[in-house]
Amino acid sequence: MSGFSAEKQVIKEFYEQLDCSETGAEHKVLSEYYSSNHIWRGFHPFDEIRGPQAVADTFWTPLRASLTQLQRRQDVFMAGANEMDDFSSVWVVSMGHLMGLFDTPWLGIAPTGKLAFLRYCEFNRVEDGKITETAMYFDVPHLMLQAGLQPFPPQTAAQLVQPGPMTHEGLMLDPQPPEEGEQTLAAINAMISDLGQWNSGLSLEDELRRTWCEDMLWWGPTGIGATYTIERYAKQHAGPFRASFTDRSKTKHLCRMAEGHFGGFFGWPNFTARPTGGFMGMPATDKPGEFRVIDIYRRAGDKLAENWIFIDLLHFWKQQGVDILGRMQQVPRT
């Protein structure tokens, strides 16, 4: 196996060119690396964008004009064949933070003039040396908090700037043993099978123990937060989430892959569910909502040890009739 070296090299060169380009010249870089019919999927309010010029004008140029001196700080870099199309396509994944000086408004959020982080995870499909599809998911509410705003009521878990893997092995620039990636993908699939049932007959904690390490770390998005150990994860997220929703659809992913001890997936959306109990401190609406999610995992032994999660909560709540972003744009920073 090549270890996806050619595909990784495309993305490495793309990032190098994009990250050092002058603000306003992003379209030139994207036009060089994106296919002409490129599809870009991003969190609310960006949604689906087509073509390199539109992606540059709508997302990258405004972001880089706002977070000046933008620096990419990667924690995971990997590539793999996509299980969802019988391993026929190759995707390269980058996860970490985009860091800059928050100097001008972005999405109506007032700047601070201070250092700021935008959590991100990006899946890029590479074909014949070109990027043909992108899923770029990012935690806008986390940036809101850094700007002194409170987009959500107090969350069930902890709000943190999220670190990379405990093992510091996430940057896989060199090929990894294929059997390691196969084992990671098997662990992820076993977890998905359990997660999609919600009726295993076991206690939630015992169900989680089938596929998770006892000292698991779940790095959730702003509005839910991070939690540690099976017992606290069940108490602070999984239990409340299951109690809050019904009619969960089957899981649908556009990409699911793994390399080495890491793997992940994304959907558009991953699933839908109907809130019938309070969620994130807000009342139930009884309206079905979409969950656009990226999950990145680290495996230890035969179980999952860490999980970084990106959920488009702005999109979910907009479907419920609550415009979090619009509301925050009208609130002065204290």
Side-chain angles (χ1 to χ4, degrees):
M1 179 179 288
S2 68
F4 313 107
S5 297
E7 292 83 2
K8 287 181 180 179
Q9 187 63 30
V10 169
I11 300 303
K12 286 169 60 180
E13 293 177 0
F14 168 58
Y15 286 165
E16 289 170 1
Q17 294 297 316
L18 177 63
D19 294 349
C20 72
S21 65
E22 294 184 2
T23 302
E26 293 83 4
H27 69 281
K28 296 180 181 178
V29 179
L30 268 60
S31 295
E32 179 180 352
Y33 286 92
Y34 282 3
S35 64
S36 59
N37 59 346
H38 178 271
I39 301 173
W40 188 96
R41 299 178 178 94
F43 278 2
H44 178 79
F46 298 98
D47 302 313
E48 187 173 296
I49 306 174
R50 292 179 178 262
Q53 183 75 54
V55 175
D57 292 346
T58 306
F59 179 74
W60 278 112
T61 297
L63 176 66
R64 295 179 79 242
S66 176
L67 294 179
T68 62
Q69 302 295 311
L70 193 69
Q71 185 179 105
R72 184 184 305 272
R73 302 179 66 88
Q74 292 187 112
D75 295 311
V76 173
F77 184 80
M78 62 180 174
N82 180 11
E83 181 185 25
M84 307 316 295
D85 58 13
D86 294 324
F87 303 100
S88 63
S89 63
V90 174
W91 294 72
V92 183
V93 180
S94 171
M95 185 196 80
H97 294 82
L98 299 175
M99 184 191 79
L101 297 170
F102 195 2
D103 284 343
T104 62
W106 187 57
L107 303 180
I109 306 168
T112 64
K114 300 177 182 179
L115 182 70
F117 288 84
L118 181 65
R119 292 182 61 232
Y120 82 93
C121 188
E122 185 176 49
F123 279 62
N124 282 299
R125 180 174 179 170
V126 180
E127 298 178 274
D128 298 324
K130 291 286 187 177
I131 303 167
T132 58
E133 290 185 62
T134 298
M136 177 66 175
Y137 291 6
F138 37 85
D139 195 340
V140 175
H142 185 218
L143 184 67
M144 291 178 181
L145 281 184
Q146 295 170 70
L149 301 173
Q150 294 292 333
F152 301 115
Q155 53 198 15
T156 54
Q159 173 59 46
L160 304 165
V161 173
Q162 297 185 4
M166 185 179 70
T167 57
H168 301 283
E169 297 175 337
L171 297 179
M172 288 168 278
L173 303 178
D174 299 319
Q176 304 296 308
E179 61 272 14
E180 294 290 351
E182 292 168 4
Q183 189 173 352
T184 301
L185 191 57
I188 292 172
N189 282 326
M191 179 277 303
I192 291 172
S193 178
D194 283 354
L195 184 65
Q197 296 181 37
W198 287 18
N199 60 355
S200 65
L202 302 172
S203 70
L204 176 55
E205 290 82 355
D206 285 343
E207 176 189 311
L208 292 167
R209 288 186 178 100
R210 288 160 49 96
T211 54
W212 292 93
C213 297
E214 195 68 35
D215 61 347
M216 64 174 288
L217 274 160
W218 192 84
W219 301 105
T222 294
I224 298 173
T227 187
Y228 174 46
T229 74
I230 283 178
E231 185 267 334
R232 296 300 169 88
Y233 171 66
K235 179 180 180 181
Q236 295 173 350
H237 174 64
F241 187 85
R242 292 192 185 192
S244 298
F245 288 90
T246 189
D247 295 338
R248 186 191 191 280
S249 71
K250 292 184 178 180
T251 300
K252 296 181 180 180
H253 293 152
L254 295 185
C255 179
R256 189 186 305 164
M257 49 74 69
E259 184 179 27
H261 288 87
F262 293 81
F265 53 70
F266 80 90
W268 191 256
N270 297 48
F271 65 93
T272 60
R274 182 165 55 89
T276 54
F279 177 53
M280 295 175 57
M282 301 188 192
T285 64
D286 208 36
K287 298 178 182 178
E290 295 179 343
F291 284 86
R292 301 168 172 173
V293 184
I294 277 179
D295 274 71
I296 301 296
Y297 299 89
R298 177 177 68 86
R299 174 180 58 83
D302 61 352
K303 294 185 178 181
L304 302 174
E306 287 189 88
N307 183 197
W308 294 263
I309 305 91
F310 299 77
I311 305 175
D312 194 352
L313 293 173
L314 298 182
H315 173 66
F316 172 80
W317 284 112
K318 187 76 180 293
Q319 290 191 314
Q320 306 305 304
V322 182
D323 186 355
I324 300 294
L325 181 59
R327 188 168 64 183
M328 290 297 99
Q329 290 171 342
Q330 302 171 26
V331 176
R333 191 176 69 249
T334 57

